[in-house]
Amino acid sequence: MEIRPILSAMLRAKTAPLLIAAQVALTLAIVCNALYIIRDRLQVAARPTGADEQNLFEMRFYPHRPIADIKGMQLRDLEALRAIPGVVAAGWTNQIPLGQSGWNWGGLTADRRGDTQLSTTYYFSGDSVIETFGLRLVEGRDFTPEEYIEIDPSKEQRNPTVMIVTRALAEKLFPGETSFVGRSFYLGSGPDADSVRIVGVVERLQTPYGQTDDRVENSMIGPVRYIDPFTRYSVRTEPGAQDRVMAEAEKALTALSKDRVLLGTRTFAEARASRYAGERMLAGLLIAVTVFLLLITASGIVGMASLWVNQRRKQIGVRRALGARQWDILRYFLVENLLITTGGVAVGLGLALALNDFLVRALELPRLPGMYLGIGMAVMWLLGLTAVLGPAWRAARVPPAVATRTA
């Protein structure tokens, strides 16, 4: 089939083809970027925290009157929790991954004279956080009993001399190094900065905030028993025992003391769902927008193709009378639509890259991979051909006598 007659026919009535091409271009630009943002947001929401999330839950208590023996209360609570069948580990912890509130430490440096903006989340507990959270130790060891310190925040503030860090944090403190146990770093800069020694490295431990950048695994763990009346217990259970253990734990700890109230109990999976609710909502919204745009574009192509068929009924009838087959008529409309769609795709590629450049600068999103442009092009071509297939098939099936008589 000659392309020139098709182009000539479109140039004589430019408005409709230009509108369809513009619609295709705009849809391609939005769909490519929307699909990439959807994938990026869902990947962020699925990142592992390093903890055994499916078997972990937390309980939070707050005193409504002074508690005389805070340490004794904590020890009794932990003893009661560990006595519940199905409990693997339990510990007092100051925060949990993706809990959205926590403790931070800024200005870490491997050299007192250094000037750094490196900050980290600071987990601490009087019990093994590795055992409680189910973390994976990749180098070194857990804390020994002698390394734990006891701090009453109403009387003093001090820092431990040893830490366990995530591999991500260790690599930032000591770029280019592969072994970190025994290395020391400083909690700040200057001569008064405290030095701490790394005794262990865990594979990963996300912060309570779940940042979308590489700070998400900047975490360190300190051996500190914190004598605070506000208590947060993290409990790891055997698989399938979480619901039962949660109910028994609430009952057991509530009965131990009437000097406090239970602020809440939640699973780590619920903490994840709460943290990433916005990401999932954004992904859902973009999916809806993408589907809506594709439907609008397909409807526009179908409507315009149907109009062209009605306007060309006499032309179709004459061609059929001169010997044109149904396939020839069908191919004519398919090629015509393919040319229009290709023009829109060419413009849409430029718009997609321009939109992505804006998103990179405004929202710090990654650059759009070429794969998404290829997928977008294929989707638009397939959408265009599929949308025009119905009207084109109806045109091809019009008998010559009927087409010429009703034109």
Side-chain angles (χ1 to χ4, degrees), residues 10 12 15 19 26 71 290:
M10 288 193 296
R12 286 196 297 270
T15 302
L19 287 175
L26 185 61
K71 178 180 177 181
T290 299

Side-chain angles (χ1 to χ4, degrees), residues 184-405:
S184 295
F185 63 95
Y186 298 92
L187 303 175
S189 59
D192 297 328
D194 289 338
S195 172
V196 293
R197 179 169 51 90
I198 297 175
V199 297
V201 179
V202 293
E203 182 179 30
R204 61 170 50 90
L205 175 58
Q206 281 194 17
T207 72
Y209 313 105
Q211 297 96 324
T212 57
D213 55 26
D214 62 356
R215 296 173 298 165
V216 70
E217 290 186 11
N218 285 4
S219 301
M220 65 181 183
I221 306 168
V224 177
R225 181 173 298 282
Y226 207 63
I227 311 302
D228 190 340
F230 173 80
T231 50
R232 183 195 303 267
Y233 299 114
S234 296
V235 183
R236 183 158 65 99
T237 71
E238 295 173 353
Q242 187 180 76
D243 291 342
R244 175 183 58 78
V245 171
M246 285 176 64
E248 293 186 23
E250 287 188 17
K251 183 178 179 180
L253 266 59
T254 302
L256 277 178
S257 175
K258 304 300 183 182
D259 299 330
R260 59 190 178 178
V261 293
L262 176 64
L263 293 181
T265 304
R266 65 173 174 174
T267 67
F268 277 40
E270 289 172 339
R272 169 181 286 277
S274 175
R275 162 59 186 88
Y276 291 121
E279 275 74 7
R280 291 195 300 275
M281 182 181 297
L282 176 61
L285 178 63
L286 289 176
I287 290 172
V289 169
T290 299
V291 171
F292 179 74
L293 281 174
L294 292 175
L295 289 175
I296 291 297
T297 302
S299 299
I301 294 173
V302 170
M304 197 60 65
S306 298
L307 178 63
W308 289 336
V309 168
N310 291 329
Q311 291 177 341
R312 297 172 183 176
R313 290 177 68 86
K314 183 175 182 179
Q315 175 187 340
I316 294 169
V318 171
R319 289 194 60 194
R320 289 294 309 281
L322 293 176
R325 298 166 299 173
Q326 289 185 358
W327 165 244
D328 295 323
I329 303 300
L330 181 66
R331 185 176 60 177
Y332 179 93
F333 283 100
L334 291 177
V335 172
E336 183 180 58
N337 178 266
L338 184 62
L339 291 175
I340 296 172
T341 303
T342 300
V345 164
V347 176
L349 291 177
L351 288 177
L353 293 173
L355 177 58
N356 179 248
D357 184 65
F358 169 76
L359 294 174
V360 168
R361 289 184 283 104
L363 303 178
E364 299 182 355
L365 290 176
R367 290 285 177 185
L368 182 67
M371 176 184 68
Y372 285 85
L373 296 175
I375 292 174
M377 292 167 59
V379 168
M380 296 314 301
W381 275 321
L382 182 62
L383 180 70
L385 291 175
T386 303
V388 81
L389 191 60
W393 181 247
R394 289 195 299 272
R397 290 174 61 85
V398 174
V402 174
T404 52
R405 185 175 64 247

